[in-house]
Amino acid sequence: MDRFAQQLVDGISAGAIYAALALSLVLIFRTTSLVNFAQGELALLSTFVAWQLHAWGLPLATCIAGTVAVSFVAGAAVERTLIRRRERHDHLAAVIVTLGLYLVIDGLVRVIWSADVKRFPSIFPSGLLELGPARLSWQSLGVLAVLAAVVGTLALLLYRTRVGLAMRAAADRPDACALVGISPQRMFMLGWGLAAALGALAGCLVAPQLFLSPDMMAGALIYAFAAAVLGGLDSPLGAIVGGLTIGVVENLAGSYVDWIGPDLKVLVGFATILLILLVRPQGLFGMRWTVRA
Amino acid sequence: MSRLRRSLTARRGAWAAAAAVALLLPFWFASYQVFQLATAMAFVPAIAGLMLLTGVAGQVSLGHGALFAIGAYTAAIIVERTGAPFAAAVLAAIVVTGAVGVLVGLPALRLQGMQLALVTVAFAVSLPPVLLRFDGLTGGVAGISLPPVVAPAWSGLEGDQWAYLCALAAAFVSLAVVAAVLRGRLGLALRAVQADELAAQAAGIDVARAKTLAFAISAALAGGAGALYVFVVGFASPESFPLLLGIAFLVGMVVGGTGSVAGPLLGALFIQFAPAVAGDVRDDLGGIVYGVAVVLVVLAVPGGATSLVPLARRLARRPAGTPFVPHQEEETA
Amino acid sequence: MRSSVAGRGGAAVALVALAFTAAACGRSGSSESGSSTAAAAASSPGITDDEVVIGSSQILTGPASAYAELAQTVDAYIADVNARGGVRMGDGKTRSIRFTYYDDAFDPSRAVANMRRLVQQDRVFATFGQAGSSSVSAARDYLNQQRVPQLFVFSGDTEWGADPRKSPWTIGCPPAYATEAAFYAGELKRTMPNAKVAVLYENDDLGQDVLAGFKQAIEGTGITVVAEQSYAVTDPTVDSQVVNLAHSGADVLLDVSTPKFAAAVVSKLHQLDWRPVHLLAAVSASAQVLQAARATAQDKIVSYTYVKDPASPAYADDAGVKQFKQALETYAPKVDPDSQIAAYAWACSDALLRTLEATKAPTREALMDAARHLDGAESPMLVPGLTFTTDGDADGFPLESGQLIRFDGTTFQPIGEVVSFEGRTPRVR
């Protein structure tokens, strides 16, 4: 087993977690030009719901599928009830609502499920894959495969269907949309619903690796921000590439750059966000930064 | 004409009454309550700075907790190492944090509101490990403890009363600074930038300069607040300044409202007392109250608590029998 | 326009001021501070002939809300004592205990405010069982200045016991983190005298004290530390750190991580197929955590404890554990009766009770004197053979002994006899 190869593989495996979260951030940013600070907590809440259903004896796949569906509806409902009225004229207020949601969900989860560490079973086989000098778990590989499938489906949805066209149009020119009979509001709800569903899926997939507890997502969120910024905040493919890159760079910097070391790894996320926004605000794959006051 | 004069007199009277009550508070309350009030006053400049940057200029910062921490550590290190008087340490903290503000503000001038939020949240998360790394300076995990506040002998006050009055004075100075900035050219420029950046530029406003200046002033206020905090509480450790603190400042700003310089005052009192009050109702509610409050305020009272005052005033003035018509507040300019 | 801004502010300020005036008038009855004047009187505040008031600042919400069980357990313990008639103190009077605590959400400034409120408004006799090292540090100066006991804080920072003269009113309960390190070093000296040790530690006082204590304890032996990696509580994973340690050629992993990370370490070790002797910090030595990570006996997990493991079948019929579980069921049904934190809290509550029983006069000085001279005080939740022992300024650590344990796949089994470092807690600060 080779240290460098294993750091690389583990970086990819951590990157898959950041990518999953970044992808749902991107979905919301694309549709509503908002950064949803509650994204991680919403995913966490969904994961706890799935865990609870499983603890009550339902089969795991059913729990995850059910939670994803419920999360879709809940995400759309959050947009409809809490975000919409604020979002159109006042971005600041909408961002602050997402911060409020973050606080509420964090508190609620601790009250309902306590802070104890819980095991979340994996839907993937438990074995390992020998990749030459490194080992990758089927669990991580499974997360990557699902992510790839999700990005593919999203691309099809966004670029090959009428709904996708409408969603993109609503994001770019909401007022013009209304004139041609597309309801931008409905598209915003759809974006939030999809993001919440994706967050639920991501939470259930990574929980076996991170172990379920109220702060499961908090640490990953900052790297997910970095990943989304790196990829360009509006590009699903960018979120994946950004997540994997951040995961790998963070691991290698923490292991091989002495003055960073494991304790200052988090600076990689900070530096990435700052540098990319200054040098290339549209990220690697983003089209441009949508300016909306 | 006479009505205007009357209302001006009334306003001055209200401020004077408020100042008088604020000055008398430490002699009514028990010393632990004076201590809590003093801590709240230490939050005021930070929230005032955030009001300038976020509330007026529309630049979201989640990093004011970290700037607050830099101010707190600067003051604590200076006092601990040199024994300098606290007033000097507060000034040093303002200068240092203002400089950091310029450093962060220079890139910030290229960033839109949402982008700045991302940069500042990462900044806030990155600070505690850096504080731990330079433990020779910061005291590492143990942090820095300072001796309790002692009032000068001539005042005849207790330490907590003295700490409160100092923090109160500083809080009012910071509010005066923010009010002056808002009335001046910079305030006008910031409001123009917030309303429409391109139009502001077209009108000859140096947008970049306005934003950087706003960030620097805002950071300096947060740093001064941090120094006040360490003066009052006497302790700073990496765990004193989590990301949550920066979020709490934002909550305070929103709940207090950005339409008036009284907003930061109300906001600071809210973030200082609301969790404890909620916790008294039910043990585990303390953590949720911020979130619920901020969502409710944004949805139901978008202008924050201070926006309720003119509403109440209009309700009170309305002659009996006339229907109440809520209208957009007149002072948004 | 400009006056309108100021006007609105003025009116708002006036409203607040009014509200506060009203509140102040309403409160003025309870606002006098009495601690300084009462010290001269025969008895301290917070104690009468039939009641003694104990206060605490506790973590109920926020990032460290796992510690909420601590407060609930102490509450249950005291309810149980009161139901059995109260505590017969050293002055011959039997008193019931009133326990008042407030949430500090792991925020040091709130902890200080809580302690002031307890001393001034609730007029507590003493404070007890505070958690969170930063919060304890922040409140320490005030409590020592006011000469109010800060009893048996729930933190193993070596600072609390290293020099009782420095803060005479502060004392810890659990064995110091540095002592914990000495237990592990001692076990290695016995079984692997030439061990090569890799250290993973949380970058806080727990991790830093264990690491420093361990290095001190292995000086002059054949044991070496070959690699060390830290992590922050905000890190999403510790995979990278574990991989680096796995390549250090170590045959022992000293793992000073909190439960979520400990579970992740165990499963990463499985994935890497690295099987060192796994010395796991006591804070994570919970069967529930290890089972979540699918740990088995082959993982060679070694830790230590000072309390009876309530989840262990070996103690199923133990009178002390039975009473503990019964009290929790009656008074704190939300607390998991198998919880390690609850067991620790119960044992430390016994330390409080023994101290009260030994307090010869109704004064804080007498209480502190009793806490400083515990001589083999017992708790039915401590591992058999362990007692609370202090010795004035010479020994400020009540617990300096422990039982090494290993995980057998379902529960913890003791290894050998109880190890004692009585009077020999390493000084790492």
Side-chain angles (χ1 to χ4, degrees):
Chain A
M1 190 173 59
D2 177 65
R3 176 170 166 222
F4 182 81
Q6 188 62 47
Q7 288 292 1
L8 207 63
V9 166
D10 277 342
I12 291 172
S13 141
I17 297 169
Y18 311 152
L21 213 49
L23 196 55
S24 44
L25 286 170
V26 162
L27 271 179
I28 286 188
F29 190 84
R30 280 190 65 93
T31 42
T32 49
S33 299
L34 266 184
V35 175
N36 180 9
F37 285 92
Q39 192 63 55
E41 301 304 290
L42 285 167
L44 180 74
L45 181 60
S46 299
T47 313
F48 266 107
V49 169
W51 178 87
Q52 187 66 65
L53 293 174
H54 186 61
W56 282 335
L58 291 172
L60 185 61
T62 315
C63 298
I64 296 180
T67 307
V68 168
V70 171
S71 301
F72 178 84
V73 177
V78 166
E79 197 282 331
R80 179 74 187 81
T81 53
L82 299 182
I83 304 296
R84 174 170 315 170
R85 276 179 287 172
R86 296 290 119 228
E87 182 268 327
R88 285 304 300 283
H89 298 291
D90 193 354
H91 254 57
L92 172 60
V95 168
I96 286 168
V97 170
T98 69
L99 284 168
L101 266 182
Y102 169 95
L103 298 172
V104 172
I105 295 173
D106 179 70
L108 268 186
V109 163
R110 286 174 195 277
V111 171
I112 300 174
W113 286 286
S114 90
D116 292 344
V117 178
K118 295 176 172 59
R119 195 175 81 84
F120 194 98
S122 176
I123 53 169
F124 304 113
S126 61
L128 288 168
L129 187 68
E130 299 274 351
L131 288 173
R135 294 151 189 268
L136 185 63
S137 63
W138 284 107
Q139 152 74 25
S140 298
L141 204 64
V143 174
L144 283 168
V146 172
L147 275 181
V150 168
V151 170
T153 316
L154 269 181
L156 282 180
L157 175 76
L158 287 171
Y159 297 101
R160 294 277 180 277
T161 65
R162 288 186 62 84
V163 176
L165 184 66
M167 277 180 79
R168 286 186 290 141
D172 283 351
R173 299 283 304 276
D175 306 334
C177 267
L179 293 178
V180 296
I182 297 170
S183 155
Q185 279 83 12
R186 207 170 282 170
M187 294 303 130
F188 294 163
M189 274 170 76
L190 187 60
W192 272 76
L194 281 177
L198 188 57
L201 183 65
C204 293
L205 290 182
V206 303
Q209 199 176 339
L210 294 182
F211 291 91
L212 185 57
S213 72
D215 40 24
M216 178 176 84
M217 286 299 185
L221 193 63
I222 206 77
Y223 292 103
F225 284 147
V229 168
L230 179 60
L233 268 162
D234 56 359
S235 161
L237 180 64
I240 306 293
V241 175
L244 298 182
T245 312
I246 294 283
V248 169
V249 170
E250 168 222 5
N251 267 11
L252 295 183
S255 303
Y256 294 103
V257 183
D258 279 345
W259 68 267
I260 294 181
D263 57 328
L264 295 186
K265 270 200 318 186
V266 70
L267 289 184
V268 171
F270 176 47
T272 307
I273 293 178
L274 192 60
L275 278 180
I276 291 289
L277 286 181
L278 288 178
V279 179
R280 192 180 159 84
Q282 72 274 37
L284 296 177
F285 296 89
M287 315 238 264
R288 65 187 161 73
W289 188 285
T290 322
V291 179
R292 279 175 63 180
Chain B
M1 197 63 203
S2 73
R3 187 169 156 199
L4 182 69
R5 190 167 301 148
R6 212 168 43 236
S7 92
L8 258 176
T9 318
R11 282 164 191 161
R12 288 202 187 117
W15 274 103
V21 172
L23 283 173
L24 289 174
L25 282 181
F27 308 97
W28 269 313
F29 281 107
S31 110
Y32 84 93
Q33 289 162 317
V34 176
F35 171 80
Q36 287 175 319
L37 284 170
T39 315
M41 287 308 120
F43 293 150
V44 169
I47 299 176
L50 206 53
M51 175 177 133
L52 189 67
L53 183 73
T54 305
V56 179
Q59 305 271 301
V60 183
S61 167
L62 289 165
H64 269 51
L67 294 166
F68 186 84
I70 291 174
Y73 266 98
T74 306
I77 290 167
I78 287 176
V79 170
E80 193 197 30
R81 296 281 163 97
T82 69
F86 230 104
V90 171
L91 287 178
I94 290 174
V95 172
V96 169
T97 326
V100 173
V102 173
L103 281 183
V104 183
L106 281 177
L109 57 91
R110 290 190 53 173
L111 303 180
Q112 312 296 326
M114 204 68 64
Q115 294 170 315
L116 189 65
L118 287 172
V119 172
T120 51
V121 77
F123 174 62
V125 173
S126 303
L127 186 69
V130 174
L131 290 173
L132 285 172
R133 171 67 77 88
F134 296 102
D135 55 352
L137 196 60
T138 63
V141 288
I144 300 177
S145 284
L146 295 178
V149 179
V150 181
W154 54 260
S155 68
L157 295 171
E158 283 180 23
D160 287 319
Q161 294 170 330
W162 176 249
Y164 166 79
L165 290 173
C166 292
L168 178 75
F172 271 82
V173 168
S174 74
L175 291 177
V177 167
V178 169
V181 169
L182 286 180
R183 271 199 297 267
R185 289 176 60 87
L186 181 59
L188 201 64
L190 290 177
R191 278 190 287 258
V193 170
Q194 149 85 333
D196 189 334
E197 197 169 320
L198 288 176
Q201 201 137 30
I205 290 171
D206 186 346
V207 173
R209 184 174 161 278
K211 279 188 184 176
T212 311
L213 212 52
F215 205 99
I217 295 174
S218 177
L221 285 169
L228 282 180
Y229 168 90
V230 93
F231 170 66
V232 172
V233 178
F235 181 72
S237 79
E239 283 160 358
S240 306
F241 312 105
L243 174 62
L244 193 64
L245 183 65
I247 299 180
F249 288 156
L250 211 53
V251 169
M253 183 202 80
V254 172
V255 170
T258 55
S260 148
V261 289
L265 213 51
L266 295 174
L269 292 170
F270 178 82
I271 63 172
Q272 169 67 2
F273 291 101
V277 170
D280 284 352
V281 176
R282 213 191 112 150
D283 279 348
D284 47 16
L285 280 189
I288 303 177
V289 61
Y290 275 170
V292 172
V294 79
V295 172
L296 283 183
V297 166
V298 172
L299 292 182
V301 200
T306 45
S307 72
L308 292 176
V309 171
L311 196 74
R313 206 190 286 148
R314 276 204 307 282
L315 271 175
R317 276 204 204 124
R318 165 172 60 101
T322 50
F324 172 66
V325 186
H327 62 88
Q328 210 50 50
E329 213 357 59
E330 68 277 51
E331 57 74 59
T332 33
Chain C
M1 237 121 307
R2 115 185 16 165
S3 62
S4 154
V5 174
R8 176 187 286 200
V13 169
L15 275 184
V16 178
L18 268 178
F20 268 87
T21 316
C25 296
R27 293 216 83 116
S28 55
S30 63
S31 66
E32 88 276 25
S33 71
S35 52
S36 48
T37 49
S43 74
S44 295
I47 188 163
T48 63
D49 281 353
D50 47 17
E51 187 184 63
V52 53
V53 187
I54 304 291
S56 191
S57 180
Q58 292 282 339
I59 303 168
L60 304 177
T61 62
S65 67
Y67 284 100
E69 283 188 340
L70 175 63
Q72 292 155 1
T73 304
V74 175
D75 216 20
Y77 179 94
I78 286 172
D80 189 51
V81 167
N82 288 338
R84 285 182 287 110
V87 50
R88 186 181 160 79
M89 288 178 58
D91 63 355
K93 298 199 171 83
T94 299
R95 298 180 171 92
S96 65
I97 306 172
R98 184 147 57 86
F99 183 53
T100 305
Y101 59 95
Y102 304 112
D103 179 24
D104 61 42
F106 203 46
D107 172 353
S109 75
R110 274 180 75 185
V112 177
N114 287 345
M115 287 306 192
R116 286 164 169 258
R117 181 175 177 188
L118 289 162
V119 171
Q120 294 163 18
Q121 178 190 291
D122 302 303
R123 300 171 67 78
V124 297
F125 182 56
T127 72
F128 163 73
Q130 195 189 353
S133 303
S134 286
S135 302
V136 175
S137 278
R140 181 169 56 158
D141 280 350
Y142 172 74
L143 290 171
N144 277 274
Q145 186 198 16
Q146 297 290 315
R147 306 166 71 79
V148 177
Q150 191 177 23
L151 283 184
F152 306 122
V153 297
F154 197 70
S155 150
D157 197 312
T158 318
E159 181 77 15
W160 318 138
D163 183 5
R165 277 160 303 190
K166 194 174 143 199
S167 32
W169 297 88
T170 304
I171 188 169
C173 175
Y177 301 137
T179 311
E180 173 168 6
F183 292 147
Y184 302 143
E187 176 65 7
L188 286 184
K189 282 180 208 164
R190 193 172 68 81
T191 56
M192 303 175 71
N194 294 304
K196 291 194 292 265
V197 185
V199 186
L200 175 74
Y201 65 98
E202 186 163 292
N203 201 2
D204 58 10
D205 62 328
L206 164 68
Q208 292 185 3
D209 272 16
V210 172
L211 179 62
F214 187 78
K215 283 179 172 168
Q216 201 173 318
I218 60 171
E219 265 171 34
T221 72
I223 302 166
T224 48
V225 171
V226 293
E228 39 187 275
Q229 293 263 303
S230 70
Y231 73 88
V233 277
T234 47
D235 283 353
T237 77
V238 287
D239 288 357
S240 172
Q241 284 92 329
V242 177
V243 169
N244 287 334
L245 295 174
H247 284 85
S248 63
D251 47 15
V252 174
L253 172 66
L254 174 57
D255 173 8
V256 196
S257 59
T258 43
K260 182 183 98 164
F261 295 100
V265 169
V266 169
S267 70
K268 191 64 189 173
L269 290 176
H270 288 168
Q271 191 198 333
L272 296 172
D273 200 23
W274 182 35
R275 309 267 168 181
V277 169
H278 188 169
L279 301 172
L280 178 62
V283 63
S284 295
S286 130
Q288 186 230 343
V289 170
L290 294 178
Q291 280 164 356
R294 295 267 167 90
T296 67
Q298 278 82 54
D299 290 311
K300 295 181 281 191
I301 294 170
V302 172
S303 187
Y304 99 97
T305 187
Y306 55 95
V307 294
K308 295 170 180 168
D309 178 2
S312 164
Y315 292 118
D317 294 322
D318 183 271
V321 174
K322 273 180 159 170
Q323 192 199 345
F324 159 79
K325 290 195 172 180
Q326 200 173 2
L328 283 185
E329 197 183 314
T330 314
Y331 302 109
K334 275 167 67 186
V335 176
D336 174 7
D338 288 343
S339 150
Q340 201 80 3
I341 289 180
Y344 294 156
W346 191 272
C348 290
S349 303
D350 272 326
L352 172 68
L353 194 72
R354 297 288 99 81
T355 302
L356 287 170
E357 286 168 354
T359 302
K360 298 210 162 48
T363 65
R364 289 168 174 164
E365 287 76 12
L367 178 76
M368 213 55 222
D369 190 56
R372 291 281 177 213
H373 295 93
L374 290 170
D375 183 14
E378 293 181 349
S379 159
M381 273 310 279
L382 285 178
V383 168
L386 264 58
T387 58
F388 299 104
T389 301
T390 50
D391 182 14
D393 289 346
D395 175 7
F397 297 101
L399 278 173
E400 300 176 278
S401 313
Q403 170 72 59
L404 284 151
I405 48 178
R406 68 183 168 78
F407 187 62
D408 71 359
T410 45
T411 180
F412 287 95
Q413 302 292 345
I415 309 174
E417 300 293 309
V418 164
V419 191
S420 171
F421 278 81
E422 193 54 56
R424 290 184 289 132
T425 289
R427 306 294 201 267
V428 293
R429 289 276 169 87

